[in-house]
Amino acid sequence: MGSTIEFARPDGKTVHGYLAEPATPGPGVVVIQEWWGLNDQIRGVADRLALAGYTALVPDLYRGRSTVEAEEAHHLMTNLNFGDAASQDVRGAVQHLKGRGCAKVGVTGYCMGGALTILALTMAPEADAGVVWYGYPPLEFVDASKIKAPMMAHWATQDAAFAMEGVEALEAKLKAAGVAYNGHRYLAHHAFANETAQGPRRIAVTQYDAAWAQVAWDRTMRFFGTHLG
């Protein structure tokens, strides 16, 4: 239901992204990919948001590349400049949606995209809300004092990729900075909201959980409904 578009970054460069639009114009959400790239699964997240009434834009952080192999995904992620992606690609996507008439725009992301959501909230003052799904960056790069938008996060207590000790340290920073934050914990593994994280091709640390994924999605929709309209 979506299409590929080109939009401008704050520095004037252009980047492609996947845009999914609702039947009636509404608020916007920038969706940030997992380490796999801009694939069908993350396009599906954008499509689902569009069905819920949001204009969703997924910036193509890997510039046309995606993979199903963990080793290649790790290579692509390692070579991504996270600061540039958050301050330019993601911020540019937020600005683009506002330029299209979205009065308010949220940011959400999964795994690597969750980490980038946190960074984007420190670097994109235009963002009106953020939802993080099981991912955080090295905490020394998180200036929580710059986060002015309300933030929600979904964490998996059995996550072998992002330890709960890091979640607790991040939450302490957010609390000290006075961020309007609400975190939820689920008895689940990493990528519990990714429906492709099941079957013989899933990597060992991931496991889809349909029940918890629905609970987290419903909470996200209520949160965006409150803060984006």
Side-chain angles (χ1 to χ4, degrees):
M1 64 183 295
S3 60
T4 298
I5 66 164
E6 187 175 82
F7 63 91
R9 303 176 0 142
D11 63 6
K13 297 178 182 178
T14 58
V15 61
H16 290 91
Y18 177 78
L19 180 72
E21 299 182 272
T24 302
V29 177
V30 175
V31 182
I32 312 176
Q33 67 193 49
E34 294 189 6
W35 69 343
W36 307 112
L38 206 175
N39 59 13
D40 287 343
Q41 190 276 329
I42 204 69
R43 290 187 186 94
V45 173
D47 291 343
R48 191 177 181 187
L49 282 164
L51 288 172
Y54 296 93
T55 301
L57 176 58
V58 189
D60 185 2
L61 304 183
Y62 290 165
R63 305 299 188 262
R65 298 184 67 182
S66 64
T67 183
V68 296
E69 301 296 335
E71 184 175 349
E72 185 179 4
H74 183 267
H75 174 76
L76 289 168
M77 181 182 69
T78 301
N79 284 282
L80 181 69
N81 183 324
F82 274 53
D84 182 75
S87 66
Q88 296 296 323
D89 289 7
V90 178
R91 187 182 183 190
V94 173
Q95 293 174 340
H96 179 80
L97 289 178
K98 292 213 164 182
R100 293 179 70 93
C102 298
K104 292 187 175 181
V105 176
V107 180
T108 191
Y110 299 75
C111 181
M112 180 188 85
L116 283 166
T117 296
I118 297 170
L119 291 178
L121 291 175
T122 73
M123 298 177 179
E126 300 88 351
D128 297 292
V131 176
V132 177
W133 297 75
Y134 39 77
Y136 54 81
L139 299 191
E140 61 267 27
F141 296 111
V142 179
D143 184 351
S145 68
K146 293 184 177 179
I147 300 178
K148 305 304 179 185
M151 174 179 162
M152 174 182 279
H154 305 297
W155 308 112
T157 59
Q158 295 176 302
D159 197 326
F162 293 91
M164 288 304 299
E165 290 83 359
V167 172
E168 291 165 359
L170 170 65
E171 291 180 334
K173 290 193 74 167
L174 297 173
K175 182 177 180 180
V179 177
Y181 167 78
N182 189 11
H184 298 283
R185 287 163 166 74
Y186 305 84
L187 183 60
H189 294 277
H190 187 68
F192 69 85
N194 185 332
E195 69 279 7
T196 68
Q198 58 184 324
R201 290 193 62 84
R202 75 175 178 89
I203 60 175
V205 299
T206 68
Q207 181 60 63
Y208 175 58
D209 189 307
W212 283 132
Q214 187 62 52
V215 171
W217 180 263
D218 291 344
R219 285 170 168 166
T220 298
M221 290 296 96
R222 288 194 293 270
F223 179 81
F224 277 153
T226 297
H227 296 289
L228 303 181

